Amino acid sequence: MNTFLSRLNTIFAFTLTVLAALTFLCFLSTVFLDYHVRVTLKTDNIEVKNVQDFSVSNSKNDLGVLTFDVQTNFERLFNWNTKQLFVYLTAEYETRNNKFNQVVLWDKIILREDKSKIKLNTMNTKYYFFDDGNGLKGLKNVSMYLSWNVIPTAGLLPLVTGEQYKHLFDFPQQYSPYQR
């Protein structure tokens, strides 16, 4: 009555249903967790340089140069459903030309087996802090945030921004000399 293929199809469908239910339970077990941690940010050695933009001929743009300190502990974010964290530092500011500017300054992938306590002192930015004009000189209230994506084994990808721990800094009024 039931052929071999029919029985194999039933077993396969039942196995997929059980795996889907287990994946959903895995998702439910961690979906309501709080993924916020305390972050301490600080900036030092803030400079603005007016440098040649080689993508546009005879154009000079502002380059922000700074060092930063970051301290945080991500240990409590690693549960049985967390595979890794993608952590990144952004700066947000407003200029005359653009209402909203956002620049990624640094990023890091933290795996489960890595040390999840971050303590960085006087780090240089990993990526250039370029403005698309001359809007950085004398700019006030640049906001710096540390954000992270929690990459789970199963479930949603929470994006957390440490906005309550943002750091504000100002760029100087004069350009620093450009040195190679």
Side-chain angles (χ1 to χ4, degrees):
M1 203 168 217
N2 288 334
T3 65
F4 174 74
L5 289 178
S6 175
R7 290 180 183 179
L8 190 63
N9 185 33
T10 304
I11 291 171
F12 182 70
F14 177 73
T15 304
L16 283 182
T17 304
V18 169
L19 287 175
L22 288 175
T23 303
F24 184 71
L25 290 174
C26 178
F27 157 72
L28 277 182
S29 69
T30 58
V31 72
F32 298 111
L33 294 178
D34 182 25
Y35 290 107
H36 289 85
V37 295
R38 183 161 182 73
V39 176
T40 304
L41 296 171
K42 185 180 154 197
T43 53
D44 292 318
N45 306 327
I46 302 169
E47 299 178 359
V48 175
K49 298 180 181 188
N50 196 256
V51 296
Q52 179 74 36
D53 183 6
F54 292 104
S55 64
V56 180
S57 63
N58 296 329
S59 172
K60 286 195 165 194
N61 290 340
D62 285 353
L63 171 67
V65 179
L66 58 100
T67 59
F68 61 91
D69 300 344
V70 175
Q71 291 184 3
T72 189
N73 185 357
F74 290 120
E75 282 181 352
R76 70 175 199 85
L77 300 185
F78 281 95
N79 54 45
W80 66 275
N81 192 27
T82 304
K83 189 186 299 187
Q84 67 186 22
L85 296 176
F86 178 69
V87 182
Y88 56 99
L89 184 70
T90 56
E92 295 178 359
Y93 61 98
E94 181 180 332
T95 61
R96 278 182 282 124
N97 296 339
N98 299 310
K99 203 76 167 140
F100 181 72
N101 297 285
Q102 187 174 40
V103 179
V104 175
L105 301 175
W106 174 86
D107 64 7
K108 182 176 175 69
I109 295 174
I110 301 174
L111 302 174
R112 177 184 297 281
E113 58 271 3
D114 292 344
K115 292 182 180 177
S116 53
K117 290 182 182 178
I118 294 180
K119 186 174 183 177
L120 304 173
N121 293 318
T122 61
M123 283 289 296
N124 291 319
T125 59
K126 188 175 180 179
Y127 306 108
Y128 290 118
F129 193 153
F130 261 116
D131 186 52
D132 64 346
N134 298 321
L136 292 183
K137 184 174 83 170
L139 186 64
K140 305 279 187 215
N141 295 327
V142 178
S143 301
M144 193 163 68
Y145 303 97
L146 188 71
S147 304
W148 53 93
N149 284 93
V150 179
I151 316 287
T153 303
L156 296 176
L157 291 164
L159 168 63
V160 182
T161 302
E163 289 183 9
Q164 66 269 29
Y165 304 113
K166 73 179 176 180
H167 174 71
L168 297 174
F169 65 93
D170 302 331
F171 279 108
Q173 295 288 337
Q174 289 89 8
Y175 289 120
S176 299
Y178 182 71
Q179 299 170 351
R180 288 185 181 212

